[in-house]
Amino acid sequence: MSSIIKTIKMATLESSVLQSKFRGSLLGSLIGDCTGSPYEGDTFTNGDKIILQRYFDKLEEPNFKAPFKPYTDDTAMMKSVAKFLIDKPEPDYKFLAKLFVNEYFKQPKRGYGENVVDVFHKLRNSKFEDVFKPAREQFLGSGSYGNGGAMRIAPIALYCHSNYKTMLEIAANATKLTHTNILGVNGALLQCIAIHQALEHHPEEKIDPKRFCLELYLKMKKIEKTDEEDVEDADPALTAYQEKLKVVEHLLGKRIDTDLDEEVIFCLGNGISSYESVPTAIYCFLRAQSEIPHIKTDNVFRRTIQYAISLGGDTDTIACMAGAIAGAHLGEEAINSDLARHCEFSKEIIEVADNLFMTRAVSPTTS
Ligand code: F2R
Ligand code: MG
Ligand code: MG
């Protein structure tokens, strides 16, 4: 029943609205990356949050001139994922591995994760013989749980917007080229379904944060199902994200006071691992549906990005993931064009989104 409703919902979104959502999601991801990257690793005091507010106010001024903000590995890898979908009708993971590697060796100084670079070297040295092997060998065989799989996933959620099952399959395989730890893979899947779910809501429809979170929880429960009969004995990593979404839901219900942001960072994290960043990005998007005390704007997209950055830590990636979700809901029109023009590649990303829209896979949703 619910899948029928979803198919109808998707079908009723006008094509122009859907196209705007494709643009919004990729642009949102890029803006989060570019505006967040100067703060990667920072901690924000209340004073810093005021400075951040002024900085965003300036970026939105029509006549404000500033050198463009470069994108980082988040966008470099996202571009490759989009090209992999656009250029090949059937998923070709060797092609995607080559795209990642070529992009890295062309521009290695984009702030890549420390260990993922080993995967690129091994892929190149092995002549792409078994493209999943180098990632499996990372961290003595436990695989990476970094957020590098999740940060680049947006094009897959868009391209497969009408086929949930295929989306999950492609998202998992595309992630496993670099990240095989279950926390890295399921984190990327959670980010993917959050973007997919945001696409389903009309831009003018107000998001109910708790309901949105519950829907994600139910989907993660299906993904994270464990074979262990005795749940007590099961590895906590197997059900990590459904547990984390319960925390997101709890935090959304909390009274807003001066300590709330500290609690968000403590409970959800703001780090480089998927586990400590994907639920945080989702929380940022949901929290930004209403006013946030230190952020003065009526624009929900800007509020999402600015709030994500104000939490500090892995700011480019958390803002990139939160921006991808917000943009998928609100579409391109909700994004201030002056804010966008300060970001490297902001014109080109629209072309990428349009190509993805034109070549997208169209078949029934089966969630
Ligand atoms: N690398 C960064 N930021 C560092 C500062 C960059 C600097 N500003 C500059 O400009 O140079 N950011 C980017 O990396 C994150 C994505 O990383 P990814 O692709 O997941 O990489 P990796 O190397 O696989 O994992 C990242 C780190 O996570 C820890 N880790 C992962 N799995 C682990 C495991 N099984 N056991 C122990 N540790 C594990 C390691 O510390 C990895 O180095 C994004 O933030 C992107 O913006
Ligand atoms: Mg980065
Ligand atoms: Mg980062």
Side-chain angles (χ1 to χ4, degrees):
M1 181 65 181
S2 72
S3 74
I4 296 172
I5 292 170
K6 268 181 213 131
T7 309
I8 293 168
K9 254 191 180 174
M10 280 295 197
T12 53
L13 274 185
E14 271 175 49
S15 172
S16 60
V17 174
L18 192 61
Q19 184 168 9
S20 164
K21 283 168 159 283
F22 273 49
R23 289 179 172 195
S25 186
L26 295 198
L27 191 56
S29 175
L30 174 81
I31 294 175
D33 179 17
C34 294
T35 57
S37 89
Y39 303 98
E40 209 179 2
D42 287 1
T43 307
F44 277 76
T45 62
N46 286 337
D48 295 331
K49 289 179 189 174
I50 295 169
I51 295 170
L52 187 67
Q53 170 71 28
R54 291 197 193 127
Y55 169 69
F56 267 84
D57 288 345
K58 279 249 167 271
L59 291 179
E60 285 191 344
E61 278 175 18
N63 298 321
F64 182 65
K65 288 192 175 54
F68 68 60
K69 313 211 159 300
Y71 65 77
T72 75
D73 56 330
D74 306 47
T75 303
M77 297 194 86
M78 185 260 273
K79 280 166 59 184
S80 294
V81 173
K83 189 169 170 53
F84 146 78
L85 296 164
I86 293 164
D87 286 5
K88 302 271 176 182
E90 286 303 314
D92 178 346
Y93 297 102
K94 189 183 261 200
F95 178 59
L96 179 57
K98 284 183 180 169
L99 291 174
F100 284 154
V101 169
N102 291 344
E103 188 69 40
Y104 169 72
F105 282 102
K106 215 167 53 189
Q107 296 186 322
K109 292 192 176 146
R110 288 277 184 190
Y112 283 86
E114 273 175 34
N115 291 271
V116 74
V117 168
D118 298 341
V119 175
F120 300 147
H121 281 274
K122 282 187 183 171
L123 282 167
R124 191 167 76 161
N125 294 342
S126 69
K127 300 198 166 47
F128 301 90
E129 200 187 352
D130 174 356
V131 287
F132 294 102
K133 187 166 173 253
R136 280 199 303 267
E137 291 171 353
Q138 290 292 87
F139 299 97
L140 303 171
S142 65
S144 173
Y145 51 61
N147 53 20
M151 72 190 185
R152 64 187 190 227
I153 211 76
I156 300 176
L158 306 177
Y159 183 81
C160 300
H161 71 96
S162 64
N163 197 330
Y164 185 79
K165 218 172 133 207
T166 305
M167 175 187 85
L168 294 183
E169 196 183 305
I170 298 179
N173 287 329
T175 300
K176 285 178 189 166
L177 287 174
T178 48
H179 295 70
T180 62
N181 188 289
I182 190 158
L183 290 173
V185 177
N186 285 348
L189 292 180
L190 175 56
Q191 170 65 8
C192 196
I193 62 175
I195 297 168
H196 181 265
Q197 198 169 293
L199 268 187
E200 290 181 338
H201 293 268
H202 194 278
E204 281 163 24
E205 184 188 339
K206 205 163 166 30
I207 298 284
D208 175 339
K210 285 202 161 192
R211 197 166 155 199
F212 193 95
C213 186
L214 176 66
E215 272 188 47
L216 287 180
Y217 169 80
L218 295 173
K219 288 173 189 166
M220 278 321 283
K221 222 174 154 176
K222 279 192 193 168
I223 291 169
E224 294 186 315
K225 59 180 182 293
T226 133
D227 294 333
E228 298 275 348
E229 285 199 2
D230 189 351
V231 181
E232 299 269 300
D233 287 344
D235 178 352
L238 297 175
T239 53
Y241 289 100
Q242 47 190 292
E243 293 306 319
K244 210 73 188 253
L245 285 167
K246 285 187 199 163
V247 181
V248 170
E249 204 260 349
H250 169 73
L251 289 167
L252 287 169
K254 289 211 75 164
R255 201 169 56 86
I256 294 171
D257 61 29
T258 46
D259 296 334
L260 183 55
D261 291 350
E262 288 301 312
E263 195 175 343
V264 169
I265 296 166
F266 180 77
C267 297
L268 297 179
N270 61 2
I272 207 166
S273 76
S274 265
Y275 180 66
E276 289 184 316
S277 57
V278 176
T280 315
I282 292 167
Y283 174 79
C284 291
F285 164 66
L286 295 176
R287 169 90 184 273
Q289 300 306 309
S290 335
E291 286 185 11
I292 298 177
H294 58 84
I295 299 176
K296 312 250 173 300
T297 178
D298 291 334
N299 183 298
V300 174
F301 174 79
R302 169 178 162 181
R303 200 186 290 144
T304 303
I305 297 271
Q306 195 178 322
Y307 180 64
I309 296 172
S310 78
L311 292 178
D314 194 359
T315 46
D316 65 332
T317 305
I318 298 176
C320 155
M321 296 190 291
I325 307 169
H329 171 226
L330 297 165
E332 184 193 14
E333 288 76 12
I335 299 176
N336 183 301
S337 56
D338 283 301
L339 178 61
R341 84 181 152 80
H342 292 291
C343 301
E344 179 187 7
F345 208 70
S346 64
K347 286 201 182 89
E348 295 87 340
I349 204 77
I350 298 298
E351 217 174 289
V352 174
D354 287 349
N355 286 336
L356 203 59
F357 178 75
M358 270 161 343
T359 53
R360 72 196 186 277
V362 182
S363 55
T365 278
T366 48
S367 57

